[in-house]
Amino acid sequence: MKMARLALGIESTAHTFGVGIIDFEGEVHSLVNDIFVPESGGLHPVQVKEQHLSNFSSIIEKALKEAKCSIKDIDLIAFSQSPGLGPVLKVGALVARMLSQLLNIPIVGVNHCIGHIEIGRLKCNIEDPLTLYVSGGNTIVSAFESNRYQIFGETLDLPIGNMIDSFARIVGLSHPGGPKIEKLALASDKYIPLPYVVKGMDLSFSGLFTAARRLVESKKYGKQYDLNDVANSLQETAFAMLTEVTERALAHTEKQEVLLTGGVAANKKLQEMIKYISEEHGARFEVVPLSYAGDNGAMIAWAGVLRYQAEGGHELSETKINSKERMDNIKIPWRK
Ligand code: AMP
Ligand code: MG
């Protein structure tokens, strides 16, 4: 029996060099990630690039081994073409173009954000969701309309995950800070008012970040309130902002499904809040399984398969990276 055709996807937009192998029917055969963890400070693109360059070949080998196949069995190479850190995107693009040319395998460049949505639709078995994508590098509310994944709301400054991680770093918590802040917040039910900034459908987190930082630098810190209280207030404020925008987009689009994805989707409090408004509007709520919610190669492979089946591969000249490309610029030929 001939095996279904296979796509190998390479994720390389930020901290993760991920390789996933998926067949054209949507079954995942491997998922291998190598994640850059900064010793101090944020993600330095040059350091991330160096790690990815050192590790890409062992990650690919591991993924092939996990899928019990050889590179010769691969029918399609997909890679994250946009958006992300330029030097890091270049590593994935280089590896993908090299494999494609050396082995004469068709290639498809994928927008990372579309990858997140498509793997969510596949894994949660849903058709047409309103998506809240919250991660270290992105904060986007989107839904499919007029042949595109339209962006209904997004951050004007810091992405939510980055904001929480940056705050965590100030109080001495190691990367990633999100899960640690979640745990601290569970120990408090005190709310200290913090800047809540929603402009139209867009969000701004920098004022919230600065105010939370002032709280832990204040003389009152440790006397009138503690770190648990600040963590709780930070989460409450940020998540209420996300919930407000998601709810308004849901009311406007009247979608019947809501999808929560990205690394921050792991947060139980956020899940609870988005679930609540989804149910209020009679919509089904789904969280992408956590191994697929963060950056990974399978989501790139799957979005690649969809595009390949609808329109074929990209020409080599179309595979240049684009670190700023918005997903609402891209027509989606595989959806009606
Ligand atoms: P990603 O960029 O999609 O790989 O996701 C990484 C981001 O998710 C980082 O900013 C993490 O701090 C964040 N994150 C992971 N788990 C949680 C959690 N339980 N609560 C909040 N943020 C989280
Ligand atoms: Mg991501």
Side-chain angles (χ1 to χ4, degrees):
M1 195 181 78
K2 175 130 175 46
M3 239 173 62
R5 292 201 285 170
L6 295 175
L8 182 144
I10 298 173
E11 157 57 25
S12 175
T13 58
H15 45 54
T16 301
F17 191 89
V19 174
I21 297 177
I22 196 164
D23 65 36
F24 281 31
E25 252 98 83
E27 192 188 330
V28 176
H29 296 262
S30 64
L31 192 64
V32 182
N33 286 333
D34 179 60
I35 301 178
F36 175 88
V37 180
E39 272 171 36
S40 63
L43 287 186
H44 195 293
V46 175
Q47 289 173 2
V48 185
K49 177 188 103 175
E50 284 304 318
Q51 176 163 322
H52 291 355
L53 273 175
S54 308
N55 293 350
F56 77 85
S57 113
S58 65
I59 304 301
I60 292 175
E61 265 172 41
K62 222 167 147 182
L64 290 166
K65 202 168 163 198
E66 210 176 282
K68 298 191 182 68
C69 68
S70 114
I71 191 74
K72 295 202 181 94
D73 299 319
I74 299 297
D75 303 283
L76 178 69
I77 303 282
F79 72 101
S80 48
Q81 185 172 17
S82 63
L85 304 171
V88 183
L89 279 166
K90 279 185 191 159
V91 177
L94 177 85
V95 172
R97 289 158 123 184
M98 201 172 65
L99 287 173
S100 163
Q101 286 177 86
L102 282 175
L103 301 162
N104 199 17
I105 305 172
I107 186 168
V108 169
V110 168
N111 175 288
H112 175 91
C113 308
I114 294 176
H116 273 290
I117 296 175
E118 291 302 344
I119 199 77
R121 288 177 63 227
L122 176 74
K123 285 282 154 191
C124 298
N125 197 17
I126 58 183
E127 186 48 40
D128 185 29
L130 178 83
T131 302
L132 173 60
Y133 164 36
V134 274
S135 71
N138 291 283
T139 309
I140 297 177
V141 177
S142 71
F144 185 75
E145 249 175 43
S146 310
N147 295 317
R148 287 161 203 261
Y149 284 114
Q150 306 290 354
I151 297 176
F152 285 89
E154 63 194 311
T155 183
L156 296 166
D157 43 40
L158 300 172
I160 176 74
N162 183 0
M163 187 275 284
I164 298 177
D165 292 343
S166 302
F167 173 76
R169 211 175 297 135
I170 289 170
V171 295
L173 300 169
S174 63
H175 188 85
K180 292 153 198 148
I181 295 293
E182 175 177 30
K183 205 162 163 216
L184 294 172
L186 280 175
S188 165
D189 52 17
K190 182 167 177 162
Y191 181 73
I192 307 161
L194 286 169
Y196 181 107
V197 183
V198 174
K199 296 181 181 175
M201 289 289 280
D202 292 329
L203 308 122
S204 162
F205 292 110
S206 57
L208 170 57
F209 170 73
T210 306
R213 175 175 166 166
R214 291 216 177 105
L215 282 180
V216 297
E217 289 169 355
S218 153
K219 288 198 183 95
K220 295 178 191 158
Y221 182 58
K223 300 186 186 88
Q224 295 180 15
Y225 55 84
D226 61 17
L227 182 56
N228 298 341
D229 302 327
V230 181
N232 184 52
S233 308
L234 181 77
Q235 275 201 172
E236 281 291 333
T237 310
F239 294 170
M241 288 163 57
L242 291 169
T243 305
E244 176 188 331
V245 171
T246 306
E247 179 171 23
R248 273 199 274 140
L250 187 57
H252 172 77
T253 58
E254 299 183 332
K255 297 287 179 193
Q256 303 295 303
E257 299 154 331
V258 176
L259 184 67
L260 179 60
T261 191
V264 185
N267 191 289
K268 292 277 187 304
K269 180 82 197 181
L270 180 62
Q271 290 178 12
E272 201 181 285
M273 291 166 80
I274 301 298
K275 182 166 190 252
Y276 181 84
I277 54 119
S278 304
E279 286 172 356
E280 286 269 294
H281 288 262
R284 176 174 151 209
F285 170 74
E286 292 287 342
V287 187
V288 176
L290 294 182
S291 49
Y292 296 99
D295 296 349
N296 67 85
M299 70 185 202
I300 302 300
W302 182 237
V305 168
L306 294 173
R307 140 97 207 197
Y308 183 68
Q309 287 180 322
E311 292 200 315
H314 279 131
E315 296 297 328
L316 197 64
S317 60
E318 299 170 312
T319 58
K320 286 195 192 107
I321 61 152
N322 184 346
S323 64
K324 299 239 184 296
E325 182 175 58
R326 293 168 62 85
M327 69 172 158
D328 55 2
N329 272 338
I330 300 171
K331 277 204 182 131
I332 306 294
W334 58 86
R335 289 197 55 184
K336 297 254 155 44

